[in-house]
């Protein structure tokens, strides 16, 4: 039996359950992809599910995009994963900045909120700047957001990037054309760190309103 990952011709060595895909299917994987899928499972497990669950109405799109990013990383498609992580960050910041008058039930679950159209045309760079100005992100988290933006842009602008990199390589002996494993794992840690922080802060703000 072959590994189920597209374009992988290796024989499957075992079965892995994918918890970050709807239905948590079990799939046959080769040794290399089984290792990547288990690493993806580790990152998925870093999410603060309690805080995210209470704010899921606000974070649902960002969470779904992150699930796509984790699956793409597991399959070895780092550049596509970087783009999905960037999309997740943009959706997350747009949702949090646009939220007005949130309402919670007695269990602390966000059940409704109003949408402010102010940020609908903002670019990711502008959203990051506004999140910093409002104190939603600071210090290391701003650095995380900018790295996610950088990696996503790096992957998205592949044609012009390759030409620029080739020209630079003539003089510098440096040639970086793709997002490597270290890059994408840093991006995953960063996006989960930001998601946990924002979801936790929303829960905290609800507690302050009650007190």
């Amino acid at each position: 039996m072959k590994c189920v990952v597209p374009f992988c011709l290796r024989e499957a060595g075992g079965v892995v359950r994918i918890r970050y895909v709807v239905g948590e299917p079990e799939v046959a994987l080769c040794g290399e992809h089984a290792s990547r899928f288990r690493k993806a499972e580790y990152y998925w497990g870093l999410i603060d599910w309690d805080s995210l669950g209470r704010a899921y109405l606000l974070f649902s799109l960002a969470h779904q995009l992150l699930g796509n990013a984790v699956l793409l990383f597991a399959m070895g498609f780092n550049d596509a994963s970087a783009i999905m992580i960037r999309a997740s960050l943009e959706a997350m910041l747009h949702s949090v900045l646009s939220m007005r008058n949130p309402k919670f039930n007695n269990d602390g679950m966000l059940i409704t909120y109003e949408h402010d159209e102010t940020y609908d045309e903002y670019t990711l760079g502008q959203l990051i700047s506004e999140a910093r100005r409002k104190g939603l992100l600071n210090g290391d988290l701003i650095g995380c957001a900018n790295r996610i933006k950088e990696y996503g842009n790096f992957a998205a602008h592949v044609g012009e990037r390759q030409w620029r990199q080739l020209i630079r390589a003539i003089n510098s002996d440096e040639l970086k054309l793709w997002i490597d494993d270290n890059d994408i794992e840093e991006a995953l840690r960063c996006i989960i760190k930001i998601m946990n922080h924002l979801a936790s802060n929303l829960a905290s703000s609800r507690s302050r309103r009650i007190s």
Side-chain angles (χ1 to χ4, degrees):
M1 181 168 50
K2 298 292 185 182
C3 176
V4 300
V5 173
F7 311 115
C8 181
L9 301 178
R10 291 183 288 267
E11 292 294 325
V15 174
V16 174
R17 181 184 295 277
I18 310 177
R19 302 185 188 281
Y20 38 89
V21 172
V22 175
E24 298 188 0
E26 292 186 344
V27 296
L29 299 168
C30 66
E32 179 180 337
H33 282 112
S35 176
R36 292 187 70 95
F37 272 72
R38 292 189 183 100
K39 188 174 287 188
E41 175 80 13
Y42 163 76
Y43 287 115
W44 195 243
L46 296 178
I47 295 173
D48 179 355
W49 293 105
D50 182 61
S51 295
L52 182 64
R54 294 175 186 277
Y56 196 75
L57 180 65
L58 190 66
F59 288 85
S60 59
L61 177 57
H63 174 257
Q64 291 167 27
L65 291 167
L66 177 56
N68 291 341
V70 170
L71 180 59
L72 287 164
F73 161 72
M75 292 191 293
F77 303 142
N78 289 346
D79 285 78
S81 181
I83 293 171
M84 284 293 101
I85 292 171
R86 186 194 185 284
S88 177
L89 176 64
E90 187 166 336
M92 194 185 316
L93 293 180
H94 176 261
S95 294
V96 173
L97 286 166
S98 300
M99 181 186 66
R100 294 290 181 271
N101 301 319
K103 300 290 191 302
F104 301 84
N105 66 16
N106 292 333
D107 296 322
M109 188 83 65
L110 179 67
I111 55 174
T112 186
Y113 62 91
E114 297 174 7
H115 176 76
D116 181 353
E117 298 178 356
T118 301
Y119 303 101
D120 287 358
E121 302 298 326
Y122 273 40
T123 65
L124 178 55
Q126 291 172 318
L127 291 171
I128 293 171
S129 295
E130 189 68 3
R132 173 163 41 190
R133 188 183 71 81
K134 287 179 170 283
L136 296 173
L137 300 178
N138 50 54
D140 181 52
L141 293 178
I142 288 294
C144 275
N146 283 323
R147 284 193 294 278
I148 289 170
K149 176 176 173 284
E150 176 187 344
Y151 291 143
N153 288 348
F154 187 90
H157 303 297
V158 58
E160 60 186 89
R161 168 181 32 94
Q162 282 190 332
W163 178 251
R164 290 197 306 270
Q165 290 289 326
L166 286 169
I167 295 300
R168 290 173 188 167
I170 294 173
N171 298 319
S172 67
D173 293 326
E174 293 182 6
L175 181 62
K176 180 178 177 63
L177 297 179
W178 308 108
I179 298 292
D180 62 28
D181 286 351
N182 289 332
D183 295 334
I184 200 63
E185 290 187 54
E186 180 184 26
L188 284 169
R189 288 191 295 270
C190 280
I191 190 66
I192 293 168
K193 196 173 185 179
I194 291 171
M195 179 178 282
N196 288 345
H197 173 78
L198 293 175
S200 176
N201 275 5
L202 183 62
S204 298
S205 69
R206 185 259 178 184
S207 298
R208 287 194 295 271
R209 289 189 186 94
I210 291 175
S211 60

